[in-house]
Each structure stands twice: as structure tokens, then as C-alpha cells.
Amino acid sequence: MIGYWSGSQPSQPLNISEEWRDNYSIMSLANQTLTVTTIINAPYCMLRESSKTKEGNDRFEGYVVDLIEELSKILGFKYKFKLVADNAYGARNESGYWNGLIGEIINGKADIAIVDLTITSKRAEAVDFTLPFMNTGISILFKKPTTKVTTLFSFLSPFSNVVWVYVLAAYVGVSCILFIVGRLSPYEWDNPHPCRQEDFVLENNFSLTNSFFFTIGSLMQQGSDLTPKAMSTRAIAAIWYFFTLIMISSYTANLAAFLTVEKVIYPIESAEELSMQSSIEYGCLASGSTKSFFQDSNITTFKRMWDFMKTRDVFMPKNVDGKHRVEKGNYAYLMESASIEYIVERNCNLTQIGGLLDTKGYGIATKKHSKHRNLLSQAILKLQETGRLHMLKEKWWKQKKGGGQCADEGKKSSSVTALKIDNVGGVFVVLLGGLTLAFFVAICEFMWRSRKSTAGCVR
Ligand code: ASP
């Protein structure tokens, strides 16, 4: 049984059974032709290169064009695209009149509006929204500074500060140990006048200053006239040579990398910093949810930003105009992160500054209490669960229209960092091991010689 009609009056409604209700509601969109209003904004909706020779829906391509095609396949409706007359997303003016896409839905000029249309509470009072098909938030689009940062002490950059401190400590430590071991080992004591054995004057090459000079000489790859003679001091020299070999090679390799990579310093790092200065201008789309966000915000930073923006000529009629102004320099454009992601994939001289100032989603707008809303929401969920929405995003963000151009850029700038103690810690451990061994050998030498001298044979 599909349903029953219990009323005696013809005006009483038909009761449709549970299992048939879904089919019935799907059928309510099947074969209908919906007028879909949209805006040209890459990559959501774009005019095809051959759009002049084409007609109707074929003139358009993009993420939402594919999305509506998928939805139409699920729900069985037909659709006809139209571009919004005033090029606006939708904002309410003082007299309560809505413009843009929202206005067209309210006035019945279109059945649904689909593009990067943000779901906001104010808009939801005027129209109905489906579940979001994409999540986003406001962020900052900015031009990467092109000037290379040169600092007087850039030669220090291959090693982190901690590593430099460790190297200095190793230098002082090894020099002192060389001095002590030199004193301890009898084989470092020599008679300066071998012909006058009876004088009993012995001299040691490794005085404190000489020890420091010996270690710095090898660290600088120069050497000195001092040569260790005992096994213990030679062991110290050998392990120190090994240490310098590794450290100098790491330093040279990393310095070369540092000199070839441009290090850029951004004049602003966050919205907070942007709001605290006035030399860099900033703005957003002239009629949209981003502007309303700043206009209505109670947060001090955003209020300050709104006070700055409202007195200047910083609002853009389209996102693409904002992008062009950012490219010219000295201007930051506040726009939604999904669009920023698309732009920075293709324009390697532009970047996103900081994180998201809020979180929101894009939905399809329908007339208030429209029966299409639930059907469209269900179909969106289905596309989400099957991974189709993700695939569409990959297609239009990463692959089509020059996507992935700047993928190497990120790698280049992030690959050079100062070597930290974790990277070179091993060589310090080896040095420490070598020094301990040398110390041990020196004690053995000392004991061996004193045993021999008590036995009466010195050499
Ligand atoms: N997506 C926004 C809107 O729906 C456009 C913007 O203001 O950035 O109004």
C-alpha cells in the first residue's frame, strides 16, 4: 500500500506510508528544471575558454558546475545556470533589502543559489541553506616579500645557537684535557738539551696556551708546529681531528644551502599585527559575508580592522580584483581560505598569512521552507560519504588550470634549517668517548713509567 486517504472532505491530505515517502519526495524533484543562480569566481564557477561559441550550461565549468551535475544525477532534476545580475553574494541594506544571490532567491528569480556562498545566521533568516559542502574560514592573502634578507652574521646560521655553544665548550674542554693529559703522560716530558742528561731538566710542549693553540689550529684546518708524542695525547689529537672533520663538513654543506635559498621576512605575521599598523592597507570583498564579519564583530582586533577599512577605498568588487591589488604590493586581502588555497597553488609569489579568523561552510541556498533543501542536503551527504566531494576539490584545486605549480616552492624554503644538536650530537658523544679513552691511556702510561723508574730503568 502506498498510502490512504481517510478524510471525508476532498481537502484532507493523503497519508503516504513511510517507505514510500522518500521515493515520493525524490520524485518531487525529478524532471523539474531548476534555475541556478551563481557568480563567476574561480574555481567554483568559471567561463569556459570557448564560452562565446557555446550556449546555456555549456558556457560554464568549475567545482560547483560539477557538483550540481552530480546532484542532478542523484535527484533526477534538470538545471539552467544564470549569472547573478549585480555580481554580489548577498548582503542586507538598511532598508532590509537583500542584494546578490540571496536577493534573487527571495525574489523568486532563481530556485537555488550555488557558489562559494557562506552560510551565515542572517542569511539563514532570509533563505534556507543545505548542509555545507565545503568548510572554510577567513584568512589573509599577501604578497611574499622579494628582497633577500642579509644579516651581518649570516655565517652563523648553519648551526643553531646551542650547537655553537657546544662547539665552544668542546674546544675549551679538549684543550684543558690535552693540557692535563700532557702533564700526566711521562712521554710528553723531554730534555731540551739531550747532551746534558745529568741536569734533570724536563720540558713539556703542551703548556696551557700551547694546548689551546693546538686545538684551534686543527679546528681551523691550519695545524700548528706542536706534535703529540705520547699515545694518550695522540689519541686526543686523533679524536679531535675526527670531530673537526665532521663539524667543518657539516658547516660548509649547510652554509652552501643557506646562501642559495632566499630567506624572507614578512612584515606581518597575523591579523593582530595587521590591525596594529597602517602602512599596509587591507580590505575584503565589497558585498559578502567577510565584510559582514568585520562589520558585526565584537572582538577588539576585528573592530579595529573594521574602523580602518570603512574609512578607506579598500573594498573590492570581485575576489580577482583583490588578488591583483595584492600582487601590486603593500595590500593584504582578507578572503576565505578555500579561495586563498586555490590562488597560492597557482601564484607562487602570493601566500596565506596566519591561520583562520573564523570557521564556516559553503551551502546551497533555497527559498525559505523549500522542499528541495532536505533532498539536496541528503544528496550532498551521499557525495561526501562516497568521497566524491573530495575528488572534486582535488580536481579543481590541485589539477586543473595550472594547479600544483607552487608545490616545490614550499619544499625549497622549508628544507634549509640550522643544524640542531640532534643532528650533530653523535660526534660530540664520540669526542667524549675518545677523551675518556685518552685519559685512561695517560694514567696507564704514568703508572707504567713510575713502575719502571722504581725498578731502576728509565727508558
Ligand atoms: N563567500 C563569501 C560570501 O558568501 C564571499 C566573501 O565575502 O568572501 O559572501
Side-chain angles (χ1 to χ4, degrees):
M1 186 174 69
I2 295 172
Y4 61 93
W5 185 50
S6 60
S8 47
Q9 300 293 317
S11 58
Q12 274 188 316
L14 180 72
N15 295 306
I16 297 168
S17 71
E18 197 79 26
E19 63 188 291
W20 274 91
R21 207 171 288 156
D22 284 349
N23 292 337
Y24 176 76
S25 56
I26 286 185
M27 274 153 50
S28 75
L29 255 180
N31 295 326
Q32 281 195 34
T33 303
L34 302 181
T35 308
V36 183
T37 178
T38 190
I39 284 185
I40 297 292
N41 183 31
Y44 304 95
C45 180
M46 299 170 282
L47 282 173
R48 280 183 202 273
E49 273 160 28
S50 55
S51 64
K52 288 209 176 87
T53 57
K54 296 217 158 101
E55 275 188 4
N57 295 345
D58 286 347
R59 288 173 299 155
F60 306 105
E61 63 176 346
Y63 178 87
V64 296
V65 180
D66 283 0
L67 176 61
I68 204 83
E69 177 62 27
E70 297 276 347
L71 294 173
S72 77
K73 276 186 203 152
I74 295 174
L75 300 172
F77 65 87
K78 296 194 190 81
Y79 57 94
K80 198 171 74 210
F81 270 112
K82 78 176 277 297
L83 291 177
V84 66
D86 57 3
N87 230 327
Y89 285 81
R92 193 167 47 188
N93 65 12
E94 286 93 47
S95 46
Y97 170 80
W98 283 91
N99 68 357
L101 300 169
I102 305 290
E104 293 207 341
I105 296 290
I106 295 171
N107 300 335
K109 288 188 184 155
D111 300 305
I112 58 173
I114 182 167
V115 69
D116 53 330
L117 183 64
T118 312
I119 304 172
T120 66
S121 59
K122 275 194 184 156
R123 286 176 179 173
E125 285 168 17
V127 294
D128 273 351
F129 279 103
T130 61
L131 291 174
F133 56 83
M134 192 181 284
N135 293 316
T136 186
I138 299 172
S139 196
I140 304 166
L141 181 70
F142 197 60
K143 189 176 178 181
K144 285 184 192 165
T146 45
T147 45
K148 199 170 167 174
V149 182
T150 45
T151 55
L152 213 51
F153 296 103
S154 54
F155 66 88
L156 291 174
S157 33
F159 289 153
S160 69
N161 292 344
V162 178
V163 173
W164 282 118
V165 170
Y166 270 71
V167 170
L168 199 69
Y171 164 61
V172 174
V174 170
S175 306
C176 292
I177 289 178
L178 186 62
F179 167 69
I180 296 167
V181 168
R183 301 267 125 179
L184 211 62
S185 172
Y187 301 104
E188 283 298 341
W189 294 94
D190 271 331
N191 188 340
H193 310 292
C195 306
R196 290 163 55 184
Q197 290 288 340
E198 66 286 353
D199 283 1
F200 284 110
V201 177
L202 293 178
E203 223 179 58
N204 191 316
N205 255 344
F206 286 97
S207 64
L208 196 60
T209 45
N210 276 359
S211 301
F212 271 91
F213 188 64
F214 175 81
T215 39
I216 197 77
S218 44
L219 188 63
M220 296 296 149
Q221 313 273 277
Q222 296 305 315
S224 57
D225 274 350
L226 301 155
T227 35
K229 289 185 275 294
M231 193 131 89
S232 50
T233 44
R234 281 181 181 172
I236 295 181
I239 207 73
W240 182 246
Y241 290 156
F242 172 74
F243 175 82
T244 53
L245 174 77
I246 304 295
M247 292 309 282
I248 298 289
S249 337
S250 314
Y251 176 84
T252 316
N254 214 25
L255 183 67
F258 260 97
L259 295 180
T260 47
V261 167
E262 265 186 23
K263 198 172 177 211
V264 286
I265 291 189
Y266 291 95
I268 44 152
E269 301 270 356
S270 62
E272 175 72 29
E273 282 181 27
L274 190 63
S275 73
M276 300 302 264
Q277 58 81 56
S278 55
S279 58
I280 299 168
E281 291 205 307
Y282 49 93
C284 62
L285 198 69
S287 177
S289 61
T290 309
K291 188 178 176 187
S292 314
F293 170 81
F294 287 100
Q295 208 168 359
D296 304 336
S297 180
N298 288 323
I299 298 167
T300 332
T301 308
F302 304 147
K303 260 190 190 164
R304 202 183 310 129
M305 289 172 86
W306 173 247
D307 290 339
F308 176 92
M309 289 193 275
K310 71 178 180 200
T311 54
R312 288 173 171 78
D313 174 29
V314 289
F315 296 110
M316 298 290 137
K318 285 193 216 150
N319 276 340
V320 66
D321 300 317
K323 186 190 98 181
H324 288 148
R325 186 150 167 194
V326 170
E327 276 171 338
K328 282 189 199 140
N330 211 37
Y331 178 79
Y333 189 57
L334 294 149
M335 76 190 295
E336 282 156 342
S337 62
S339 302
I340 294 184
E341 222 178 285
Y342 176 79
I343 291 173
V344 301
E345 268 296 317
R346 287 152 184 83
N347 300 266
C348 309
N349 58 339
L350 303 183
T351 188
Q352 177 180 335
I353 299 277
L356 304 186
L357 310 187
D358 65 347
T359 45
K360 48 203 181 185
Y362 296 143
I364 302 175
T366 64
K367 223 179 162 67
K368 222 52 210 131
H369 311 300
S370 157
K371 61 178 185 288
H372 307 332
R373 196 256 296 255
N374 282 346
L375 295 169
L376 289 168
S377 285
Q378 272 172 22
I380 286 172
L381 274 185
K382 213 177 265 175
L383 291 176
Q384 200 165 30
E385 283 161 11
T386 53
R388 194 73 197 121
L389 285 186
H390 178 73
M391 277 160 67
L392 282 184
K393 176 132 195 237
E394 289 286 304
K395 173 181 167 187
W396 288 103
W397 264 254
K398 301 260 157 73
Q399 293 159 13
K400 289 264 187 177
K401 309 250 173 200
Q405 260 177 42
C406 309
D408 292 344
E409 292 282 310
K411 273 187 226 150
K412 234 198 276 168
S413 58
S414 62
S415 59
V416 192
T417 49
L419 290 177
K420 300 199 180 65
I421 196 64
D422 297 347
N423 308 112
V424 287
V427 70
F428 284 91
V429 175
V430 172
L431 181 66
L432 215 62
L435 291 180
T436 320
L437 182 77
F439 211 80
F440 184 69
V441 172
I443 291 171
C444 292
E445 282 174 343
F446 181 78
M447 293 197 326
W448 177 252
R449 179 58 87 84
S450 32
R451 236 192 80 207
K452 268 188 155 182
S453 34
T454 35
C457 47
V458 172
R459 267 185 193 266

mmCIF file of all heavy atoms in Angstrom, residues 81-115:
data_model
loop_
_atom_site.group_PDB
_atom_site.id
_atom_site.type_symbol
_atom_site.label_atom_id
_atom_site.label_comp_id
_atom_site.label_asym_id
_atom_site.label_seq_id
_atom_site.Cartn_x
_atom_site.Cartn_y
_atom_site.Cartn_z
ATOM 1 N N PHE A 81 21.724 27.336 -15.636
ATOM 2 C CA PHE A 81 22.523 28.341 -14.928
ATOM 3 C C PHE A 81 22.170 29.750 -15.375
ATOM 4 O O PHE A 81 21.906 29.990 -16.549
ATOM 5 C CB PHE A 81 24.020 28.120 -15.206
ATOM 6 C CG PHE A 81 24.685 27.207 -14.216
ATOM 7 C CD1 PHE A 81 25.153 25.956 -14.588
ATOM 8 C CD2 PHE A 81 24.857 27.618 -12.899
ATOM 9 C CE1 PHE A 81 25.766 25.122 -13.673
ATOM 10 C CE2 PHE A 81 25.481 26.785 -11.975
ATOM 11 C CZ PHE A 81 25.934 25.539 -12.363
ATOM 12 N N LYS A 82 22.206 30.669 -14.427
ATOM 13 C CA LYS A 82 22.121 32.091 -14.769
ATOM 14 C C LYS A 82 23.089 32.852 -13.869
ATOM 15 O O LYS A 82 23.298 32.456 -12.716
ATOM 16 C CB LYS A 82 20.692 32.609 -14.616
ATOM 17 C CG LYS A 82 20.256 32.876 -13.198
ATOM 18 C CD LYS A 82 18.883 33.463 -13.135
ATOM 19 C CE LYS A 82 18.829 34.957 -13.345
ATOM 20 N NZ LYS A 82 19.517 35.764 -12.349
ATOM 21 N N LEU A 83 23.689 33.900 -14.425
ATOM 22 C CA LEU A 83 24.619 34.676 -13.600
ATOM 23 C C LEU A 83 23.848 35.749 -12.849
ATOM 24 O O LEU A 83 22.916 36.354 -13.390
ATOM 25 C CB LEU A 83 25.702 35.326 -14.469
ATOM 26 C CG LEU A 83 26.699 34.347 -15.081
ATOM 27 C CD1 LEU A 83 27.688 35.091 -15.973
ATOM 28 C CD2 LEU A 83 27.450 33.573 -14.001
ATOM 29 N N VAL A 84 24.228 35.969 -11.593
ATOM 30 C CA VAL A 84 23.532 36.958 -10.770
ATOM 31 C C VAL A 84 23.725 38.354 -11.392
ATOM 32 O O VAL A 84 24.805 38.667 -11.900
ATOM 33 C CB VAL A 84 24.039 36.874 -9.306
ATOM 34 C CG1 VAL A 84 25.487 37.282 -9.183
ATOM 35 C CG2 VAL A 84 23.175 37.702 -8.374
ATOM 36 N N ALA A 85 22.661 39.135 -11.364
ATOM 37 C CA ALA A 85 22.681 40.414 -12.093
ATOM 38 C C ALA A 85 23.666 41.421 -11.508
ATOM 39 O O ALA A 85 24.397 42.092 -12.250
ATOM 40 C CB ALA A 85 21.273 40.994 -12.102
ATOM 41 N N ASP A 86 23.727 41.511 -10.181
ATOM 42 C CA ASP A 86 24.553 42.589 -9.588
ATOM 43 C C ASP A 86 25.921 42.105 -9.102
ATOM 44 O O ASP A 86 26.625 42.827 -8.404
ATOM 45 C CB ASP A 86 23.798 43.253 -8.433
ATOM 46 C CG ASP A 86 23.395 42.244 -7.359
ATOM 47 O OD1 ASP A 86 23.761 41.053 -7.521
ATOM 48 O OD2 ASP A 86 22.735 42.623 -6.385
ATOM 49 N N ASN A 87 26.300 40.876 -9.440
ATOM 50 C CA ASN A 87 27.616 40.371 -9.091
ATOM 51 C C ASN A 87 27.917 40.328 -7.589
ATOM 52 O O ASN A 87 29.066 40.418 -7.175
ATOM 53 C CB ASN A 87 28.688 41.232 -9.755
ATOM 54 C CG ASN A 87 29.687 40.359 -10.475
ATOM 55 O OD1 ASN A 87 29.956 39.236 -10.026
ATOM 56 N ND2 ASN A 87 30.193 40.854 -11.580
ATOM 57 N N ALA A 88 26.871 40.215 -6.780
ATOM 58 C CA ALA A 88 27.080 40.219 -5.321
ATOM 59 C C ALA A 88 26.614 38.893 -4.734
ATOM 60 O O ALA A 88 25.751 38.221 -5.304
ATOM 61 C CB ALA A 88 26.314 41.365 -4.683
ATOM 62 N N TYR A 89 27.223 38.545 -3.593
ATOM 63 C CA TYR A 89 26.833 37.303 -2.914
ATOM 64 C C TYR A 89 25.534 37.481 -2.144
ATOM 65 O O TYR A 89 24.681 36.603 -2.138
ATOM 66 C CB TYR A 89 27.937 36.857 -1.948
ATOM 67 C CG TYR A 89 29.116 36.255 -2.662
ATOM 68 C CD1 TYR A 89 30.088 37.057 -3.245
ATOM 69 C CD2 TYR A 89 29.245 34.880 -2.775
ATOM 70 C CE1 TYR A 89 31.162 36.505 -3.914
ATOM 71 C CE2 TYR A 89 30.329 34.318 -3.435
ATOM 72 C CZ TYR A 89 31.278 35.133 -4.008
ATOM 73 O OH TYR A 89 32.329 34.583 -4.676
ATOM 74 N N GLY A 90 25.452 38.616 -1.490
ATOM 75 C CA GLY A 90 24.219 38.871 -0.743
ATOM 76 C C GLY A 90 24.466 39.527 0.593
ATOM 77 O O GLY A 90 25.103 38.938 1.462
ATOM 78 N N ALA A 91 23.990 40.760 0.701
ATOM 79 C CA ALA A 91 24.063 41.482 1.975
ATOM 80 C C ALA A 91 22.775 42.278 2.102
ATOM 81 O O ALA A 91 22.160 42.658 1.093
ATOM 82 C CB ALA A 91 25.279 42.398 1.984
ATOM 83 N N ARG A 92 22.369 42.533 3.353
ATOM 84 C CA ARG A 92 21.117 43.270 3.556
ATOM 85 C C ARG A 92 21.446 44.741 3.776
ATOM 86 O O ARG A 92 22.335 45.057 4.573
ATOM 87 C CB ARG A 92 20.400 42.697 4.785
ATOM 88 C CG ARG A 92 18.970 43.180 4.895
ATOM 89 C CD ARG A 92 18.192 42.388 5.894
ATOM 90 N NE ARG A 92 18.925 42.228 7.157
ATOM 91 C CZ ARG A 92 18.506 41.432 8.128
ATOM 92 N NH1 ARG A 92 17.419 40.711 7.982
ATOM 93 N NH2 ARG A 92 19.189 41.324 9.249
ATOM 94 N N ASN A 93 20.724 45.609 3.077
ATOM 95 C CA ASN A 93 20.974 47.040 3.309
ATOM 96 C C ASN A 93 20.092 47.556 4.444
ATOM 97 O O ASN A 93 19.329 46.791 5.042
ATOM 98 C CB ASN A 93 20.810 47.844 2.008
ATOM 99 C CG ASN A 93 19.380 47.813 1.496
ATOM 100 O OD1 ASN A 93 18.475 47.386 2.204
ATOM 101 N ND2 ASN A 93 19.181 48.247 0.259
ATOM 102 N N GLU A 94 20.198 48.872 4.720
ATOM 103 C CA GLU A 94 19.483 49.427 5.894
ATOM 104 C C GLU A 94 17.967 49.240 5.796
ATOM 105 O O GLU A 94 17.285 49.037 6.793
ATOM 106 C CB GLU A 94 19.772 50.922 6.065
ATOM 107 C CG GLU A 94 21.149 51.244 6.605
ATOM 108 C CD GLU A 94 22.147 51.488 5.491
ATOM 109 O OE1 GLU A 94 21.802 52.232 4.559
ATOM 110 O OE2 GLU A 94 23.260 50.907 5.536
ATOM 111 N N SER A 95 17.475 49.277 4.565
ATOM 112 C CA SER A 95 16.019 49.130 4.439
ATOM 113 C C SER A 95 15.569 47.654 4.415
ATOM 114 O O SER A 95 14.408 47.356 4.103
ATOM 115 C CB SER A 95 15.538 49.882 3.188
ATOM 116 O OG SER A 95 16.373 49.574 2.117
ATOM 117 N N GLY A 96 16.515 46.758 4.722
ATOM 118 C CA GLY A 96 16.157 45.342 4.846
ATOM 119 C C GLY A 96 16.107 44.606 3.522
ATOM 120 O O GLY A 96 15.680 43.455 3.463
ATOM 121 N N TYR A 97 16.563 45.232 2.476
ATOM 122 C CA TYR A 97 16.529 44.623 1.146
ATOM 123 C C TYR A 97 17.814 43.830 0.890
ATOM 124 O O TYR A 97 18.914 44.328 1.125
ATOM 125 C CB TYR A 97 16.340 45.737 0.105
ATOM 126 C CG TYR A 97 16.516 45.290 -1.324
ATOM 127 C CD1 TYR A 97 15.490 44.639 -2.008
ATOM 128 C CD2 TYR A 97 17.726 45.535 -2.001
ATOM 129 C CE1 TYR A 97 15.666 44.228 -3.318
ATOM 130 C CE2 TYR A 97 17.905 45.128 -3.312
ATOM 131 C CZ TYR A 97 16.873 44.466 -3.958
ATOM 132 O OH TYR A 97 17.053 44.060 -5.247
ATOM 133 N N TRP A 98 17.661 42.590 0.444
ATOM 134 C CA TRP A 98 18.825 41.737 0.159
ATOM 135 C C TRP A 98 19.224 41.877 -1.301
ATOM 136 O O TRP A 98 18.368 41.837 -2.179
ATOM 137 C CB TRP A 98 18.504 40.274 0.426
ATOM 138 C CG TRP A 98 18.496 39.912 1.878
ATOM 139 C CD1 TRP A 98 17.429 39.941 2.712
ATOM 140 C CD2 TRP A 98 19.605 39.462 2.651
ATOM 141 N NE1 TRP A 98 17.780 39.549 3.961
ATOM 142 C CE2 TRP A 98 19.133 39.237 3.962
ATOM 143 C CE3 TRP A 98 20.952 39.230 2.389
ATOM 144 C CZ2 TRP A 98 19.950 38.798 4.987
ATOM 145 C CZ3 TRP A 98 21.773 38.776 3.416
ATOM 146 C CH2 TRP A 98 21.274 38.573 4.693
ATOM 147 N N ASN A 99 20.535 42.010 -1.541
ATOM 148 C CA ASN A 99 21.007 42.047 -2.933
ATOM 149 C C ASN A 99 21.614 40.691 -3.301
ATOM 150 O O ASN A 99 21.536 39.736 -2.534
ATOM 151 C CB ASN A 99 22.008 43.190 -3.139
ATOM 152 C CG ASN A 99 23.318 42.935 -2.385
ATOM 153 O OD1 ASN A 99 23.460 41.952 -1.674
ATOM 154 N ND2 ASN A 99 24.259 43.840 -2.542
ATOM 155 N N GLY A 100 22.236 40.618 -4.442
ATOM 156 C CA GLY A 100 23.023 39.443 -4.854
ATOM 157 C C GLY A 100 22.218 38.153 -4.974
ATOM 158 O O GLY A 100 21.024 38.152 -5.274
ATOM 159 N N LEU A 101 22.935 37.066 -4.725
ATOM 160 C CA LEU A 101 22.342 35.730 -4.870
ATOM 161 C C LEU A 101 21.161 35.548 -3.929
ATOM 162 O O LEU A 101 20.123 35.003 -4.318
ATOM 163 C CB LEU A 101 23.395 34.661 -4.553
ATOM 164 C CG LEU A 101 24.654 34.637 -5.424
ATOM 165 C CD1 LEU A 101 25.694 33.711 -4.818
ATOM 166 C CD2 LEU A 101 24.315 34.161 -6.832
ATOM 167 N N ILE A 102 21.343 36.030 -2.699
ATOM 168 C CA ILE A 102 20.269 35.873 -1.700
ATOM 169 C C ILE A 102 19.018 36.624 -2.173
ATOM 170 O O ILE A 102 17.887 36.096 -2.106
ATOM 171 C CB ILE A 102 20.746 36.396 -0.320
ATOM 172 C CG1 ILE A 102 22.045 35.713 0.107
ATOM 173 C CG2 ILE A 102 19.655 36.258 0.743
ATOM 174 C CD1 ILE A 102 21.943 34.262 0.469
ATOM 175 N N GLY A 103 19.231 37.824 -2.701
ATOM 176 C CA GLY A 103 18.117 38.627 -3.207
ATOM 177 C C GLY A 103 17.362 37.902 -4.314
ATOM 178 O O GLY A 103 16.124 37.898 -4.343
ATOM 179 N N GLU A 104 18.120 37.258 -5.222
ATOM 180 C CA GLU A 104 17.481 36.565 -6.351
ATOM 181 C C GLU A 104 16.646 35.371 -5.885
ATOM 182 O O GLU A 104 15.629 35.047 -6.487
ATOM 183 C CB GLU A 104 18.536 36.121 -7.370
ATOM 184 C CG GLU A 104 19.188 37.313 -8.041
ATOM 185 C CD GLU A 104 19.725 37.025 -9.426
ATOM 186 O OE1 GLU A 104 19.927 35.845 -9.753
ATOM 187 O OE2 GLU A 104 19.917 38.002 -10.173
ATOM 188 N N ILE A 105 17.109 34.709 -4.822
ATOM 189 C CA ILE A 105 16.325 33.585 -4.285
ATOM 190 C C ILE A 105 15.031 34.112 -3.660
ATOM 191 O O ILE A 105 13.939 33.583 -3.894
ATOM 192 C CB ILE A 105 17.150 32.800 -3.229
ATOM 193 C CG1 ILE A 105 18.376 32.146 -3.858
ATOM 194 C CG2 ILE A 105 16.296 31.756 -2.509
ATOM 195 C CD1 ILE A 105 18.091 30.988 -4.773
ATOM 196 N N ILE A 106 15.174 35.178 -2.871
ATOM 197 C CA ILE A 106 13.986 35.727 -2.190
ATOM 198 C C ILE A 106 12.954 36.206 -3.224
ATOM 199 O O ILE A 106 11.746 35.968 -3.093
ATOM 200 C CB ILE A 106 14.395 36.895 -1.254
ATOM 201 C CG1 ILE A 106 15.293 36.351 -0.129
ATOM 202 C CG2 ILE A 106 13.171 37.610 -0.666
ATOM 203 C CD1 ILE A 106 15.931 37.418 0.722
ATOM 204 N N ASN A 107 13.463 36.875 -4.279
ATOM 205 C CA ASN A 107 12.545 37.428 -5.288
ATOM 206 C C ASN A 107 12.015 36.379 -6.264
ATOM 207 O O ASN A 107 11.268 36.703 -7.193
ATOM 208 C CB ASN A 107 13.238 38.527 -6.109
ATOM 209 C CG ASN A 107 13.687 39.641 -5.205
ATOM 210 O OD1 ASN A 107 13.111 39.835 -4.134
ATOM 211 N ND2 ASN A 107 14.720 40.361 -5.619
ATOM 212 N N GLY A 108 12.489 35.150 -6.113
ATOM 213 C CA GLY A 108 11.996 34.076 -6.979
ATOM 214 C C GLY A 108 12.608 34.099 -8.376
ATOM 215 O O GLY A 108 12.126 33.397 -9.277
ATOM 216 N N LYS A 109 13.713 34.857 -8.542
ATOM 217 C CA LYS A 109 14.353 34.869 -9.869
ATOM 218 C C LYS A 109 15.120 33.564 -10.108
ATOM 219 O O LYS A 109 15.484 33.245 -11.228
ATOM 220 C CB LYS A 109 15.320 36.049 -9.964
ATOM 221 C CG LYS A 109 14.608 37.388 -10.074
ATOM 222 C CD LYS A 109 15.591 38.492 -10.352
ATOM 223 C CE LYS A 109 14.856 39.815 -10.347
ATOM 224 N NZ LYS A 109 15.726 40.926 -10.026
ATOM 225 N N ALA A 110 15.438 32.874 -9.027
ATOM 226 C CA ALA A 110 16.133 31.585 -9.150
ATOM 227 C C ALA A 110 15.630 30.644 -8.071
ATOM 228 O O ALA A 110 15.137 31.093 -7.033
ATOM 229 C CB ALA A 110 17.631 31.798 -9.007
ATOM 230 N N ASP A 111 15.776 29.323 -8.325
ATOM 231 C CA ASP A 111 15.333 28.349 -7.326
ATOM 232 C C ASP A 111 16.420 28.046 -6.309
ATOM 233 O O ASP A 111 16.138 27.864 -5.128
ATOM 234 C CB ASP A 111 14.932 27.036 -8.017
ATOM 235 C CG ASP A 111 13.805 27.263 -8.993
ATOM 236 O OD1 ASP A 111 12.778 27.806 -8.572
ATOM 237 O OD2 ASP A 111 13.970 26.916 -10.192
ATOM 238 N N ILE A 112 17.632 27.944 -6.810
ATOM 239 C CA ILE A 112 18.742 27.697 -5.869
ATOM 240 C C ILE A 112 19.924 28.594 -6.248
ATOM 241 O O ILE A 112 20.079 29.009 -7.409
ATOM 242 C CB ILE A 112 19.188 26.211 -5.838
ATOM 243 C CG1 ILE A 112 19.632 25.718 -7.212
ATOM 244 C CG2 ILE A 112 18.121 25.327 -5.270
ATOM 245 C CD1 ILE A 112 20.230 24.310 -7.169
ATOM 246 N N ALA A 113 20.763 28.886 -5.227
ATOM 247 C CA ALA A 113 21.992 29.651 -5.464
ATOM 248 C C ALA A 113 23.152 28.767 -5.048
ATOM 249 O O ALA A 113 23.149 28.215 -3.942
ATOM 250 C CB ALA A 113 21.990 30.929 -4.642
ATOM 251 N N ILE A 114 24.115 28.622 -5.930
ATOM 252 C CA ILE A 114 25.259 27.764 -5.604
ATOM 253 C C ILE A 114 26.548 28.388 -6.114
ATOM 254 O O ILE A 114 26.654 28.743 -7.288
ATOM 255 C CB ILE A 114 25.064 26.319 -6.134
ATOM 256 C CG1 ILE A 114 26.255 25.452 -5.727
ATOM 257 C CG2 ILE A 114 24.856 26.275 -7.618
ATOM 258 C CD1 ILE A 114 26.037 23.976 -5.927
ATOM 259 N N VAL A 115 27.474 28.573 -5.221
ATOM 260 C CA VAL A 115 28.833 29.047 -5.493
ATOM 261 C C VAL A 115 29.524 29.002 -4.136
ATOM 262 O O VAL A 115 29.052 28.263 -3.251
ATOM 263 C CB VAL A 115 28.805 30.468 -6.154
ATOM 264 C CG1 VAL A 115 28.332 31.561 -5.223
ATOM 265 C CG2 VAL A 115 30.170 30.805 -6.759
#
